[in-house]
Amino acid sequence: QVKILSAGMGRKLTATGFLALKGTGVVAGILLALLFGAAGKGATGLFFVVAFAGCGFFAPDGFLTMLIRKRKDEVGAALPDALDLLAVSVEAGLGFDGAIAKLAEFMEGPLVDEFSLMLSEMRIGESRQEALKRLAIRVPTPEVSAFVRSIVQSDQLGTSLGRILKVQ
């Protein structure tokens, strides 16, 4: 489930659905091997059936890993601009929630989608610290984790959020 969330597929795919996809890949691999007639040649045919079934089983994992890597790159590219906009907004007098709303208004992409989801969680009653921790779980990059730690620490110690964002 964590990998699915990291790939940004949390709203489209569940862990059960992903496992069903892997099972379908195995069945499709076996049928593909049978279609090519590899099953009728003894031990070599059995090898091809197992190889095709294995490819069908591991292909969704490879695709998910590719999506995670692509999303991490997009988040890494968008984070400096997002932090800059957050810092400017907080220094201009907006609270953290308002700055996140401004961010969602002026930017787009996977990072902004995750910030919007975090803002929604805070609006329905989740604490800021819990919403930030969930953000770090959904976007497992060192940069986002450092950002979350610094904001949580700022909340706990009561330090200036604008200065923390500027340092970040």
Side-chain angles (χ1 to χ4, degrees):
Q1 185 66 32
V2 172
K3 282 181 137 184
I4 292 170
L5 289 173
S6 297
M9 301 289 292
R11 295 181 182 157
K12 298 175 186 174
L13 186 64
T14 63
T16 306
F18 184 72
L19 291 176
L21 185 65
K22 288 176 72 112
T24 303
V26 169
V27 171
I30 291 171
L31 290 177
L32 194 60
L34 292 175
L35 181 68
F36 288 131
K41 298 177 185 169
T44 305
L46 181 62
F47 170 76
F48 280 110
V49 167
V50 171
F52 276 51
C55 287
F57 183 77
F58 291 112
D61 287 323
F63 183 70
L64 193 63
T65 301
M66 182 184 69
L67 286 176
I68 291 170
R69 205 170 288 137
K70 179 183 175 211
R71 190 162 187 258
K72 281 183 179 180
D73 291 343
E74 289 174 356
V75 165
L79 190 61
D81 292 334
L83 290 178
D84 187 42
L85 183 58
L86 285 175
V88 167
S89 298
V90 167
E91 288 178 345
L94 286 175
F96 184 69
D97 300 355
I100 295 290
K102 281 290 180 200
L103 179 72
E105 183 180 334
F106 289 109
M107 292 182 70
E108 58 184 39
L111 178 64
V112 176
D113 293 342
E114 291 300 333
F115 275 127
S116 297
L117 182 58
M118 180 191 74
L119 185 60
S120 298
E121 289 174 350
M122 289 189 306
R123 286 182 177 162
I124 62 170
E126 194 74 39
S127 72
R128 182 184 297 175
Q129 291 180 2
E130 285 301 315
L132 282 164
K133 288 177 184 175
R134 287 183 190 198
L135 172 70
I137 290 170
R138 289 191 305 264
V139 186
T141 62
E143 297 87 4
V144 172
S145 296
F147 166 74
V148 166
R149 279 193 308 271
S150 66
I151 298 299
V152 167
Q153 189 175 34
S154 171
D155 273 353
Q156 290 173 343
L157 299 176
T159 58
S160 169
L161 189 58
R163 195 177 83 214
I164 295 292
L165 288 170
K166 209 185 289 187
V167 168
Q168 285 291 313

